[in-house]
Amino acid sequence: MKTNRKLSVKSVLIITMCLVMLMVSACSNSSSEGGNEKDENGNYVDKLTVSVASTVQVKDGQMDNEFHKYWMDKYNLEWDYNFIEWDSWGEKLRLWINSGDLPDVATWNYVHGDAMNYIDQGLLYKFPDDWKERWPNVAAAYELTGLGEKLEELTGGTYLLPRPVYYENKPADPLLNQIGVIALRKDWAEAVGFELKDAYTTSELMEFAQLVKDKDPGKVGSGLVPISYNAPDALTNIIMPNSEHSRVESAFYKGDDGQYHWGPADEETLTGLKLMQKAYQDGLLNPEFYTWKNSEGSDKFRVNGSAAITSLGGLASYRQDVDKAMKKNLGVESDEVVHTAIVLGDDNKYRNLEQANFWSALIFSPDISDEKFERIMDMVDFSTSQEGQLLLNMGFEGTDWKYGENKELVSLLPEGTSLEDKYPSRFEGLYLLGDDFSMINPAIKKEYRDRAVTHYEDKAKLSEEGGAMAEYDWTVQLYDSKAKNQASFDYATEYTNLILKDGDLEANWKEWVKSKQSLVQPVLDELNGLAK
């Protein structure tokens, strides 16, 4: 008994020493990591260094401004930047996530199958159960994405924040994708006798391009590009207006017969391909259009002034970017030379995709400390509030903007400049996309904002009046299988290869459809099985 008692005392001493060491270690870690305690003025006491991955590119010294300093001081943060080139965004995040090297917080181009795998493997941070009560502004915006709650049903928790496109300023209902808007040279159209309208068929735009090619009203010469699209632009503005299921977002769809189909095999897609091939063979598209990356197509229009038509997209901010670029590079007022419109199919029907109210997602490292996670979420919650949105999108009240006599927002920035010019790389908000605020932002010319809303309203109206809207199908979007992952194609490249291939286009297309069936049919079988 005495021996056992001595051993027990010894064991207690050892356990006590271990506990003391653990407490010292924990205190040391807490001290080095920093907590979220606040002083009497409500300021965070400890500074946290947070690693962040973003596609926003920042040059040395760009963050040395009062806007950036405001956010860093308010949240006592210091960013450890990990900037990503746009073209390598998906691949770099995939490598970081799978290798366990994900920065504390990152913007990720959401892929459902990958998301489910990452969650199953514990590669993403699991949010606390009470996060919606703690950060209500984020929760309210998150709810509007639809995806957030769908993922909760599948996973039993929250592992990422889908980024809302629209929050308080949704421009139309139903909401169609902002793609499918083009810009054309209004002055050239007037010179060749081409009518200005709010909507054109694909063939009408090709007729205008041919007139410009023949008459060269801008005296551009050999550098003239009648239709300045890259391969994705051609898919968006030539093929999709004739076939709403020709894109990856809507390629697998449920038809009126209740069965799932593959849109690229539809005759409507062939119609679009024929128009695209004609535009290429007639010299309306640049001979090397399919090699262009990013903004090379639009730069021919807004920087070089050598293009008659370019793909624009429906956001007012895009239109303002064109205005700034043309003033800077061409010395012209874009309002005098640019007209925007939406694109119809050759049967005069409007087609587009229903816009899911999210794009990309905010994700956190599974190894992030609770302190860092909470600090970031505090910042994101404020950035999503009305006060935070005003600050994030308009700058400082009294310096960058003010309220007018009727409580309307009035920008104080010099005409022709934006907040991005004054405070480059404003990514601190991280969450809510700028599309929402662009609808009301007075720093964007009112005419551009009104025109953007008109395009959205026209899309909604035309889609309901005999048009075709490819509905966002959650069954397809949230279905993941080996077969579905294997049937993932770069449609812009596939279509380009078809229109460039020698021989009869229809025969080549039919052969192409047949060649894909071994990958496509298993997906259709699985989806039709789910639909039963």
Side-chain angles (χ1 to χ4, degrees), residues 3-47:
T3 303
N4 289 340
R5 191 178 191 291
K6 285 183 178 178
L7 287 172
S8 297
V9 171
K10 184 177 180 181
S11 297
V12 169
L13 287 172
I14 291 172
I15 291 170
T16 301
M17 290 176 66
C18 288
L19 287 173
V20 170
M21 291 175 68
L22 285 171
M23 290 173 67
V24 170
S25 174
C27 290
S28 174
N29 288 338
S30 175
S31 176
S32 62
E33 176 67 23
N36 283 322
E37 296 79 15
K38 295 183 180 180
D39 61 22
E40 64 277 9
N41 297 316
N43 299 317
Y44 295 95
V45 174
D46 297 313
K47 175 171 281 190

Side-chain angles (χ1 to χ4, degrees), residues 13-228:
L13 287 172
I14 291 172
I15 291 170
T16 301
M17 290 176 66
C18 288
L19 287 173
V20 170
M21 291 175 68
L22 285 171
M23 290 173 67
V24 170
S25 174
C27 290
S28 174
N29 288 338
S30 175
S31 176
S32 62
E33 176 67 23
N36 283 322
E37 296 79 15
K38 295 183 180 180
D39 61 22
E40 64 277 9
N41 297 316
N43 299 317
Y44 295 95
V45 174
D46 297 313
K47 175 171 281 190
L48 296 179
T49 298
V50 176
S51 57
V52 58
S54 171
T55 55
V56 176
Q57 302 297 311
V58 177
K59 298 178 181 177
D60 290 342
Q62 279 190 327
M63 292 303 192
D64 297 333
N65 59 64
E66 59 179 315
F67 181 90
H68 180 70
K69 186 176 185 298
Y70 169 88
W71 292 87
M72 297 301 92
D73 289 350
K74 182 177 178 64
Y75 293 97
N76 205 1
L77 282 174
E78 182 176 332
W79 291 122
D80 175 14
Y81 303 110
N82 295 268
F83 296 113
I84 311 162
E85 294 293 339
W86 186 266
D87 291 340
S88 62
W89 182 22
E91 183 60 27
K92 184 156 286 190
L93 263 295
R94 186 177 297 112
L95 289 171
W96 281 341
I97 294 169
N98 283 312
S99 64
D101 293 326
L102 182 66
D104 293 321
V105 59
T107 302
W108 174 51
N109 195 8
Y110 180 83
V111 177
H112 181 67
D114 289 346
M116 298 303 292
N117 290 333
Y118 297 154
I119 291 169
D120 288 343
Q121 296 175 53
L123 297 176
L124 299 179
Y125 180 86
K126 187 178 188 297
F127 286 38
D129 293 339
D130 64 347
W131 77 266
K132 294 180 183 178
E133 288 73 41
R134 296 180 66 181
W135 298 289
N137 294 318
V138 179
Y142 167 92
E143 183 179 354
L144 296 179
T145 67
L147 176 61
E149 293 185 348
K150 294 287 184 181
L151 288 177
E152 289 176 18
E153 294 172 7
L154 293 173
T155 65
T158 304
Y159 293 86
L160 54 85
L161 295 174
R163 302 177 69 209
V165 180
Y166 291 104
Y167 183 29
E168 296 183 331
N169 302 297
K170 186 178 177 181
D173 192 19
L175 181 65
L176 280 86
N177 202 294
Q178 59 93 1
I179 60 177
V181 176
I182 58 92
L184 61 80
R185 284 295 295 258
K186 177 169 62 175
D187 53 337
W188 295 359
E190 293 169 348
V192 299
F194 185 73
E195 182 183 0
L196 296 177
K197 301 192 296 185
D198 290 337
Y200 296 100
T201 67
T202 40
S203 283
E204 284 177 328
L205 289 174
M206 289 167 61
E207 289 170 10
F208 169 57
Q210 187 66 55
L211 286 169
V212 170
K213 182 186 176 193
D214 293 341
K215 299 183 178 181
D216 192 9
K219 308 302 180 191
V220 177
S222 61
L224 178 64
V225 185
I227 300 178
S228 194

Side-chain angles (χ1 to χ4, degrees), residues 510-526:
K510 288 180 178 179
E511 182 61 33
W512 174 78
V513 169
K514 184 179 178 181
S515 73
K516 300 297 185 185
Q517 287 307 301
S518 63
L519 295 174
V520 168
Q521 192 58 50
V523 183
L524 294 175
D525 293 341
E526 291 175 357

Side-chain angles (χ1 to χ4, degrees), residues 410-429:
V410 178
S411 175
L412 299 177
L413 296 175
E415 185 177 353
T417 64
S418 68
L419 203 64
E420 183 68 18
D421 297 322
K422 187 173 182 181
Y423 311 118
S425 307
R426 297 171 297 105
F427 72 94
E428 276 86 4

Side-chain angles (χ1 to χ4, degrees), residues 264-282:
D266 293 345
E267 287 290 329
E268 292 85 353
T269 299
L270 176 60
T271 298
L273 285 168
K274 288 179 178 178
L275 288 164
M276 181 176 167
Q277 186 180 68
K278 177 174 172 54
Y280 182 74
Q281 292 178 343
D282 290 351

Side-chain angles (χ1 to χ4, degrees), residues 332-435:
V332 300
E333 293 291 335
S334 72
D335 294 356
E336 298 176 3
V337 300
V338 174
H339 177 72
T340 62
I342 58 179
V343 189
L344 310 175
D346 258 27
D347 55 4
N348 279 295
K349 290 184 178 181
Y350 179 73
R351 298 173 176 84
N352 203 329
L353 316 172
E354 181 181 20
Q355 177 154 329
N357 196 29
F358 74 90
W359 177 75
S360 72
L362 205 61
I363 56 175
F364 297 83
S365 166
D367 301 319
I368 191 174
S369 68
D370 291 342
E371 290 82 5
K372 287 185 180 182
F373 173 77
E374 291 168 1
R375 188 81 63 90
I376 295 168
M377 287 296 289
D378 286 348
M379 185 185 71
V380 172
D381 196 67
F382 173 71
S383 79
T384 312
S385 69
Q386 184 178 42
E387 180 185 357
Q389 280 292 290
L390 284 170
L391 179 64
L392 191 64
N393 292 286
M394 295 198 64
F396 300 102
E397 184 177 2
T399 300
D400 302 313
W401 65 277
K402 68 177 182 178
Y403 285 110
E405 294 180 358
N406 299 314
K407 286 295 181 180
E408 77 277 13
L409 297 173
V410 178
S411 175
L412 299 177
L413 296 175
E415 185 177 353
T417 64
S418 68
L419 203 64
E420 183 68 18
D421 297 322
K422 187 173 182 181
Y423 311 118
S425 307
R426 297 171 297 105
F427 72 94
E428 276 86 4
L430 289 173
Y431 188 47
L432 184 61
L433 297 186
D435 305 43

